Amino acid sequence: MNLSKLGLDDVDVALMSLLQKDGRLSNAKLAEQVALSETPCWRRLKRLEADGYIEGYQAVLSRKKLGYGVLAFVQVGFGSHIGDAPLRFEEQVQAIPEVLSCHNLTGECDYLLQVVAEDLEAFGVFVRDVLRELPGVSSIRSSLSLREVKMSGRLPVGRG
């Protein structure tokens, strides 16, 4: 993607790339790495944040160290799309911490969820007591991750 079309220059792209790698970089370190003084660097960061290119900062936690041994991809189907069931489903899924992501899809299923659980038993209870109770849900198909090959939220900024 040509980011210059969005009004971003090489310094903006470098700042975003550096922050994706290490969100804890100080303004002084960022300024040094992009060859700016601290004040202009800080202003650029604030502009990138205000314009919505940088949505926030967070730590990446270890799922396994925290005891979530199961990562599942759950396909959710609806029997009917009439009424407000899809909207109520989307609102309720927002509040479920075990659901890491939820995507409304085209194709055979209506939603794809990424879900964590401590173990298979906990996942089974979650499906039975939480997912099956959500509005509109008529079918659930799960695939369990055997091994995580790559996990990243980093976007490919800086590629021409």
Side-chain angles (χ1 to χ4, degrees):
M1 163 152 263
N2 184 350
L3 297 178
S4 63
K5 290 180 182 178
L6 301 174
L8 300 171
D9 63 17
D10 290 343
V11 174
D12 294 327
V13 171
L15 287 170
M16 290 187 293
S17 182
L18 288 165
L19 284 171
Q20 279 195 124
K21 291 177 188 159
D22 184 357
R24 294 182 64 179
L25 283 174
S26 68
N27 185 59
K29 285 276 190 200
L30 281 169
E32 178 184 319
Q33 291 191 35
V34 297
L36 285 178
S37 62
E38 290 184 38
T39 301
C41 182
W42 181 83
R43 284 188 189 122
R44 280 179 178 260
L45 281 177
K46 291 301 163 194
R47 180 180 50 79
L48 290 169
E49 291 169 359
D51 290 350
Y53 292 106
I54 298 175
E55 294 181 343
Y57 302 87
Q58 68 183 28
V60 178
L61 306 180
S62 170
R63 172 178 62 81
K64 291 179 183 176
K65 284 277 194 184
L66 291 169
Y68 295 104
V70 170
L71 176 64
F73 299 91
V74 181
Q75 297 176 1
V76 175
F78 275 45
S80 171
H81 296 90
I82 298 171
D84 66 347
L87 180 59
R88 288 184 19 245
F89 172 87
E90 291 177 11
E91 288 172 350
Q92 288 184 26
V93 87
Q94 296 285 333
I96 303 171
E98 293 86 355
V99 176
L100 302 182
S101 67
C102 174
H103 301 269
N104 185 215
L105 303 177
T106 62
E108 292 183 27
C109 70
D110 295 299
Y111 292 92
L112 178 65
L113 310 179
Q114 187 177 8
V115 174
V116 292
E118 292 177 22
D119 54 30
L120 286 174
E121 183 177 350
F123 178 69
V125 169
F126 176 78
V127 169
R128 182 190 69 219
D129 295 348
V130 178
L131 293 183
R132 291 207 182 279
E133 298 301 317
L134 291 172
V137 173
S138 65
S139 67
I140 295 174
R141 291 180 51 192
S142 300
S143 297
L144 301 177
S145 173
L146 299 175
R147 183 171 56 95
E148 192 169 74
V149 177
K150 178 181 179 179
M151 190 284 298
S152 176
R154 295 180 186 171
L155 294 174
V157 297
R159 291 186 174 172

